[in-house]
Each structure stands twice: as C-alpha cells, then as structure tokens.
Amino acid sequence: MSDATAQATAQAAVTVAVKATAAASGASATERFLTDKTGTSAPGADTERVHILATEMISAVHDIVRRHQVTYEEYNALKSWLISVGRDGEWPLFLDVWVEHVVEEVATAARQGSKGTIEGPYYVPGAPELPSVSTLPMRDKEAGTELLFQGQVTSASGEPLAGALLEMWQADDEGLYAQFAPGIPEWNLRGSVVADDEGRFAVTTIQPAPYQIPTDGSCGRLISAAGWHAWRPAHLHLKVSAPGHTTLTTQLYFKGGTYVEDDVARAVKPELVIDPRPTGDGGCEVTHGFVLDPAS
Ligand code: MBD
Ligand code: FE
C-alpha cells in the first residue's frame, strides 16, 4: 500500500468512526433485527396466507405500472433503489417509517387500555435495570432540557401494577440514538425502570430532539427525490409490561413540537402528546400514566 493510499484508508476509517452515516446506523438496525426478531419474522408456514398476501402485493404493483404507464427508465430506477436499500441496511428503517403504523393499527384495534404506536428500528432489549425513582444513564453534561417524567401503571380495571417494567429509549439532544450512531455510550438514554409497589415511577431524563432520517442513505434519497421531509417529531419510546398483561409499545410526543402534526412515520396519536410544564429551575415535568390490557 502506498503512503497516499494508507493515509486515505486511515482517513476513511476515521470518518466512518465519527460520522453517523446512514450505512452505519442502517447496518446496526439490520443486525439488531436479525438478532432479536428472527423468531417472530420467520416465514409463516401457512401456504394459503402467504399465497394471498404475496399475490395481492404483486398485483398492486402491476396495477400501479398500468395506471401510471411506468417506463423502463422508472422500472430500472426502482430496481436500483431497492438494491441500495439492502446495501445500506435500511430495510428496518424503510419498513418502520412507511409501513409499521398500519400494522400497529391493525394489531391493536381491540385494545381497551392506553394507546400505543410503532416500535421503530432502535429498540434494544436488556437496558440497565433502574429503580422506580431514577435518572436514565446519560453523559456528564448531557445536552438538553431536563425532563421529569412520572406516573403510574395500572390495569384496565384500575389496579396498580406493582413492579411494572418501563423500558425507555430515546434520542439525545441531537436526535441520535445510542448503539445506532457512533461515539455515544452504549446505554445512553436507555433504561429498564421497575415501578414501585403501587406501579409508580419518576424518571429524570432530557427532552430528545426531533429525528431526521439519514440524508445520505436510500431512504433519504427517496425523500428528496419525492420532495418530502425527513423528520419525526421529538419522542420518548416506551415498552410497558407486567405479568399477566399485554405489553404496551408506545411513544410520547411534546405538545407544540415541530413535526408533531406532520410525522414522516405517521405514528402520532392525540393521546400520545404530553405537555410538560416548566419547573422553574430550567427543567420541566409531566405526569402521564399507562393502562395495560389483560394478556390475550
Ligand atoms: C425513529 O426514531 C423512529 O422512532 C422510527 C419509528 C423510525 C425511524 C426513527
Ligand atoms: Fe425513535
């Protein structure tokens, strides 16, 4: 290797290590999915169901081609884009942004308890366990407005759910997620909070920033080619669970926040918008409870 080549290689390695590239976060999300979700996503054994769904999906594509007189140029652009989504590892991102909200709607239509919404690509199981009153793991001078998030977990019949688990994950003040953007401590702004004997919790964290879909990957290229915007409103992610109850996967948004009315992932519901009030010391505070359905 020449000196110049070695230098260029070293430079490229440094750039990869420091920048939150689409390929880096996409590859992490793909690995994550293949590790955690393969069991639930293995092809179904029900041939008739696969036949119906695959046939209708392919027919929907045929209809679009006929209706819009799709050209070979457009067909090849699509082919090349689909290949690049896989290369960038952005299938989890693409599907969770543009498809998951409808799957969630269908899956939770019969719920009586709290509304939920999509999980998205950045959940990691096994975050550090924390007591009911705690602060999410964060850096020494974590940027962002301090937020005290407190409440109670109850059953549909109003019983407190002692020891309910609240798995929380969120972006930082730059909209970046630990384990999917480089240079952030592994469990930063991720925790598994155990509620007290009355199902209560009080978690100190920071307000996340809105999330922008990486502009340098395939999803970003689709967005700019179509003239859309790339943003999700700031949000907290939660999975709330208790023995004998259906796990609630949800997100909370901030009233008046940018993109709350125009989420690229269509995952905002009115019940999920919280309105923290200033505490007077520069931070803010909100009380928000969760009601879990019985296990089905
Ligand atoms: C996110 O942070 C997110 O929550 C979803 C659903 C999709 C992309 C990024
Ligand atoms: Fe998110």
Side-chain angles (χ1 to χ4, degrees), residues 78-165:
L78 171 67
K79 207 163 161 180
S80 121
W81 183 79
L82 289 169
I83 292 165
S84 75
V85 176
R87 285 227 172 108
D88 295 348
E90 284 197 346
W91 279 117
L93 181 64
F94 173 81
L95 290 165
D96 294 351
V97 166
W98 283 292
V99 182
E100 190 187 356
H101 70 100
V102 190
V103 179
E104 193 273 341
E105 172 192 310
V106 170
T108 64
R111 295 262 177 104
Q112 303 292 307
S114 296
K115 287 268 185 257
T117 189
I118 63 177
E119 177 175 316
Y122 301 142
Y123 168 65
V124 183
E129 199 169 294
L130 303 168
S132 63
V133 178
S134 52
T135 299
L136 288 190
M138 63 175 79
R139 291 161 285 192
D140 273 349
K141 287 181 187 131
E142 190 72 42
T145 303
E146 192 172 286
L147 170 67
L148 173 61
F149 171 66
Q150 56 191 336
Q152 186 181 27
V153 185
T154 58
S155 68
S157 54
E159 303 294 325
L161 293 174
L165 184 67

Side-chain angles (χ1 to χ4, degrees), residues 146-149 207 236 253-255 273-279 283-287:
E146 192 172 286
L147 170 67
L148 173 61
F149 171 66
Q207 280 201 232
L236 303 172
Y253 307 91
F254 299 91
K255 189 176 177 188
V273 180
I274 56 174
D275 188 14
R277 56 184 169 78
T279 47
C284 56
E285 177 185 355
V286 68
T287 300

Side-chain angles (χ1 to χ4, degrees), residues 29-78:
T30 298
E31 274 319 301
R32 190 81 254 160
F33 182 81
L34 293 176
T35 307
D36 299 337
K37 296 276 171 59
T38 305
T40 56
S41 66
D46 186 344
T47 305
E48 185 55 22
R49 179 82 173 163
V50 175
H51 165 66
I52 290 170
L53 298 182
T55 301
E56 290 204 19
M57 194 165 89
I58 292 163
S59 300
V61 174
H62 298 167
D63 288 347
I64 294 166
V65 173
R66 290 200 182 95
R67 203 147 24 94
H68 297 280
Q69 296 285 286
V70 170
T71 65
Y72 256 103
E73 210 176 29
E74 290 167 331
Y75 172 67
N76 285 328
L78 171 67

